[in-house]
Amino acid sequence: MHGRVKLKSTAQQEEERRKEREKKLKVYLATREACFAKRKQGALDEDALQLTQQLLSSNPDFATLWNYRREILLHQETVREEDEVQKLYEAELAFLESCLKVNPKSYGSWHHRGWVCSRLPRPDWVRELGLCDRCLLLDDRNFHCWDYRRMVVKASAVPVDQELQFTDRLIGSNFSNYSSWHYRSTLLPLLHPQSPEVATLCPHRPSNSPTHSHRVCEEQLLKGIRPYIELMMMPHSIFLIRAEREEMISCVYVCREGEKVVVAFSRPVKAKAVGLMLVLDGQPQEVEWVSAPPAVQHSPVWICELPPGTISDINNEHNLTVHWTETHTHRECALYTGRTESWCRDSATDQELFRCELSVEKTSVLQSELQSCTQLLELEPQNKWCLLTIILLMRALDPLGYEKETLAHFQTLKEVDLMRSCYYSDLCSKFMIENTILKMEYAEVRVFSLSHKNLSILCHLDQLLLVTHINLCSNQLIRIPPEFSMLQCLEVLEADDNVIESLEGLNNHLKLEAVSLRNNNIRLMSLLKPLASCPKLTRLDLRGNPVIQNENVQSELSELLLLVKNLVL
């Protein structure tokens, strides 16, 4: 019909697009080859500059071409006058703007722009700040642009208060602009320096400066959102209030059976690198240190075996000294007559193990932060950032006293932030294990129960070196990790009602006598092989595991686990 547009079919449109793409690809490949040929020839002329521009206009992430382009520009500097160089680089900046329109987060484009500005005879920093403003208006989380802005601010000596006003504008338009909040947290200490302790713990607290007090009060009163401000301004030190333990030998354990010495450190070390030396009855011993788990270069637990007959006689008394030459520390341990084992260790407090000892001032500050976050939680009961911050503050202040509240907050976190529920489960598991270790420290017992705690992982196993009986029943554990080999005294393991499908961590437990794995997810006979390396294992309970459904399971298990006399299926 006359006067009407003829609509093409979808197949025709796709075919035309395909031909167009092929045509562009041929041009692109031909230009790329020509560009590489010029570079190989060492050509640094304007033709080469034009070729790279043609390619980078469509693909600004081609790092090799940016490098070639810089080579060309450096050469052009040597053959042109200063005014010509100025015009050349201004044209380069205009070209870069077109590249950023293609990809606003192009590493190569932003890096090259910074390089160009550093070569400009007369850089226009106001223009560069304007460019940053426009880019951040389009995407306020473009970290490439934030990095570039910091470079521009430093190079042009922009006043700190001016940048603070810039963050005010961005936060005013989008309160959840975390990039602006972070940038602001780096600016405030520059504008209002404080004493190191207060500044580290709470940089937004008022100092003695009237100007600073007025500034903080103005923000809080005018915006009327003090809890939000305090939460967003929370310094990263809150997340770092975890104890960095003093470097020391935390435990030495010696056993006549197997004639071995086990050493636990306050941090993972490499035995050969730190100069670990064993002295027995005044005589240095030539021993080979093996990590737990084996083949790990850095571990908090190291084991050595003494030559046969060295300490096996129960009628002899021995004195051992382990030297850590790197830190000039040592620990002694006496193995008395009639005793089969001995150990020497410090009873660490919760401050030494998992958190820092807080001064009265720091405690007051953290209590104030906790109160502010609690106010925010009342306004937004499902604010995940607030919930997590409250948990960390409670851990810093009193991990045992706030245990019930911590568990409740973790449950809420997993419900409101499903994508990170596994992370929250692991973090909660870590905190519950820490609390149980602290309770064990106070009781000084060798029986350790972690049952019914909904654990998803096991950690801090180096703290359980002396445990003889551990109960892991009714959790969500998927495996017994290799680090489980740190439990060198373990005799009984109860791990019923989990979802365990790997027993890798049960290799070579020389004292292990009984293992209960009822109602788990062990499917293959091969997964039970680690148990065959436990010479004292006599009792094994596998009821409720898929593996027992296999034909001839009884005979196969008897063949695999020769020493197990009490096999419950």
Side-chain angles (χ1 to χ4, degrees):
M1 298 288 293
H2 296 289
R4 294 189 180 184
V5 178
K6 184 179 179 181
L7 296 176
K8 299 179 181 178
S9 66
T10 303
Q12 287 178 306
Q13 290 176 333
E14 284 297 321
E15 181 63 19
E16 288 186 6
R17 291 194 197 102
R18 186 188 65 79
K19 290 180 179 179
E20 185 66 23
R21 286 196 298 269
E22 287 183 356
K23 181 180 178 181
K24 289 181 178 179
L25 180 60
K26 287 180 181 179
V27 173
Y28 180 87
L29 293 176
T31 307
R32 187 191 65 180
E33 293 304 316
C35 193
F36 284 170
K38 273 190 168 291
R39 192 182 193 192
K40 190 173 182 179
Q41 296 167 7
L44 301 171
D45 53 21
E46 292 190 12
D47 288 341
L49 203 64
Q50 187 61 36
L51 285 174
T52 58
Q53 181 170 330
Q54 186 177 342
L55 291 168
L56 290 168
S57 295
S58 57
N59 180 16
D61 294 310
F62 205 146
T64 302
L65 295 183
W66 287 119
N67 291 335
Y68 183 28
R69 195 166 180 85
R70 283 190 282 274
E71 293 171 6
I72 299 170
L73 292 171
L74 286 173
H75 172 71
Q76 292 296 318
E77 281 187 32
T78 63
V79 297
R80 298 190 184 207
E81 298 294 332
E82 182 177 309
D83 289 343
E84 292 179 334
V85 171
Q86 178 74 20
K87 291 180 181 179
L88 176 67
Y89 279 128
E90 286 179 351
E92 188 72 3
L93 291 175
F95 164 60
L96 280 163
E97 283 195 38
S98 66
C99 292
L100 290 173
K101 289 177 182 178
V102 175
N103 182 6
K105 295 183 178 181
S106 167
Y107 284 89
S109 300
W110 285 109
H111 174 71
H112 188 67
R113 192 172 189 91
W115 180 85
V116 169
C117 286
S118 70
R119 307 297 302 180
L120 260 172
R122 298 180 297 279
D124 186 352
W125 297 118
V126 174
R127 176 186 58 193
E128 297 307 302
L129 282 175
L131 173 69
C132 293
D133 290 347
R134 295 196 303 275
C135 290
L136 292 175
L137 187 63
L138 295 172
D139 182 0
D140 54 23
R141 294 190 184 185
N142 187 337
F143 69 89
H144 304 274
C145 185
W146 280 110
D147 287 341
Y148 183 72
R149 185 182 186 90
R150 280 187 280 271
M151 183 277 292
V152 172
V153 167
K154 183 178 180 180
S156 58
V158 175
V160 177
D161 57 350
Q162 181 178 322
E163 282 299 280
L164 200 63
Q165 292 173 8
F166 171 71
T167 64
D168 284 343
R169 293 197 303 272
L170 289 186
I171 293 169
S173 61
N174 178 13
F175 187 78
S176 297
N177 187 338
Y178 301 113
S179 299
S180 297
W181 281 112
H182 172 71
Y183 188 35
R184 186 182 184 82
S185 70
T186 65
L187 296 173
L188 281 173
L190 298 176
L191 192 61
H192 309 292
Q194 302 177 45
S195 63
E197 182 176 1
V198 178
T200 300
L201 191 58
C202 191
H204 61 280
R205 292 192 78 193
S207 67
N208 294 328
S209 165
T211 303
H212 187 212
S213 299
H214 174 73
R215 175 69 179 176
V216 174
C217 290
E218 182 184 62
E219 287 185 347
Q220 293 178 350
L221 295 175
L222 290 181
K223 295 187 178 180
I225 49 172
R226 179 176 182 272
Y228 288 88
I229 293 176
E230 291 201 343
L231 176 64
M232 289 307 204
M233 292 301 297
M234 189 72 67
H236 291 114
S237 58
I238 293 299
F239 297 88
L240 301 177
I241 302 178
R242 305 284 293 175
E244 288 294 333
R245 295 184 64 195
E246 177 186 354
E247 292 188 341
M248 64 179 182
I249 299 172
S250 56
C251 181
V252 173
Y253 170 80
V254 56
C255 181
R256 295 187 192 274
E257 184 181 5
E259 300 188 77
K260 66 180 179 180
V261 177
V262 184
V263 182
F265 296 87
S266 57
R267 65 171 173 85
V269 301
K270 188 175 182 179
K272 294 182 180 178
V274 300
L276 192 59
M277 182 175 66
L278 175 65
V279 177
L280 176 65
D281 298 327
Q283 298 296 320
Q285 302 293 308
E286 291 290 336
V287 295
E288 181 180 356
W289 293 98
V290 179
S291 62
V296 174
Q297 289 194 350
H298 291 81
S299 172
V301 176
W302 289 83
I303 307 163
C304 74
E305 293 184 1
L306 296 168
T310 305
I311 60 172
S312 58
D313 191 343
I314 201 169
N315 297 312
N316 292 334
E317 180 178 316
H318 300 281
N319 293 299
L320 297 93
T321 305
V322 178
H323 293 269
W324 186 2
T325 57
E326 183 187 56
T327 60
H328 306 288
T329 59
H330 69 278
R331 185 171 287 278
E332 299 176 350
C333 183
L335 181 57
Y336 297 110
T337 302
R339 294 191 58 178
T340 59
E341 62 180 3
S342 183
W343 61 85
C344 180
R345 70 189 294 263
D346 288 333
S347 182
T349 65
D350 60 335
Q351 282 88 359
E352 292 172 339
L353 280 176
F354 306 121
R355 65 189 185 107
C356 297
E357 186 172 0
L358 300 176
S359 65
V360 175
E361 182 180 11
K362 287 181 179 179
T363 300
S364 176
V365 171
L366 293 183
Q367 288 284 8
S368 175
E369 297 293 349
L370 181 57
Q371 184 179 1
S372 297
C373 291
T374 304
Q375 292 176 23
L376 173 58
L377 193 62
E378 292 174 358
L379 298 174
E380 294 189 35
Q382 295 189 333
N383 187 312
K384 61 182 180 182
W385 305 110
C386 182
L387 285 164
L388 184 57
T389 303
I390 287 175
I391 289 171
L392 296 175
L393 285 167
M394 287 179 171
R395 296 297 300 174
L397 287 165
D398 187 357
L400 294 178
Y402 284 116
E403 180 175 310
K404 185 177 179 180
E405 293 88 341
T406 298
L407 287 172
H409 289 322
F410 267 121
Q411 184 59 37
T412 305
L413 266 176
K414 286 185 277 189
E415 292 172 0
V416 302
D417 191 8
L418 291 174
M419 287 184 62
R420 297 171 184 82
S421 61
C422 291
Y423 164 72
Y424 299 135
S425 294
D426 290 352
L427 187 61
C428 183
S429 300
K430 180 181 179 182
F431 289 164
M432 291 305 101
I433 292 173
E434 288 177 0
N435 285 1
T436 310
I437 289 174
L438 296 179
K439 294 171 187 176
M440 182 186 72
E441 286 284 337
Y442 299 139
E444 295 186 354
V445 295
R446 300 181 72 182
V447 177
F448 193 67
S449 178
L450 286 168
S451 63
H452 298 88
K453 294 190 182 296
N454 205 30
L455 302 181
S456 58
I457 60 166
L458 294 174
C459 58
H460 296 306
L461 296 176
D462 56 299
Q463 300 292 328
L464 309 182
L465 170 60
L466 302 176
V467 168
T468 59
H469 186 148
I470 188 167
N471 185 346
L472 302 174
C473 296
S474 301
N475 286 297
Q476 299 296 319
L477 297 173
I478 298 176
R479 65 181 190 137
I480 304 296
E483 291 77 15
F484 207 74
S485 61
M486 295 179 186
L487 280 70
Q488 287 291 304
C489 300
L490 188 63
E491 297 174 1
V492 178
L493 167 63
E494 297 179 72
D496 302 339
D497 301 306
N498 282 278
V499 285
I500 295 172
E501 54 190 30
S502 170
L503 303 175
E504 186 181 359
L506 292 182
N507 270 305
N508 298 310
H509 277 265
L510 303 183
K511 292 192 172 188
L512 188 59
E513 298 175 0
V515 175
S516 182
L517 295 167
R518 292 176 57 185
N519 302 323
N520 277 285
N521 196 31
I522 300 171
R523 296 181 174 277
L524 302 175
M525 193 68 62
S526 59
L527 297 175
L528 297 170
K529 285 184 178 180
L531 297 175
S533 63
C534 303
K536 284 194 169 185
L537 183 64
T538 58
R539 187 180 191 282
L540 176 62
D541 190 341
L542 289 174
R543 286 176 291 178
N545 283 276
V547 69
I548 66 173
Q549 305 299 326
N550 298 346
E551 294 183 8
N552 305 319
V553 61
Q554 184 79 43
S555 59
E556 289 182 21
L557 283 172
S558 299
E559 184 179 346
L560 176 64
L561 307 172
L562 299 176
L563 300 177
V564 177
K565 304 303 180 184
N566 188 353
L567 184 60
V568 183
L569 301 176

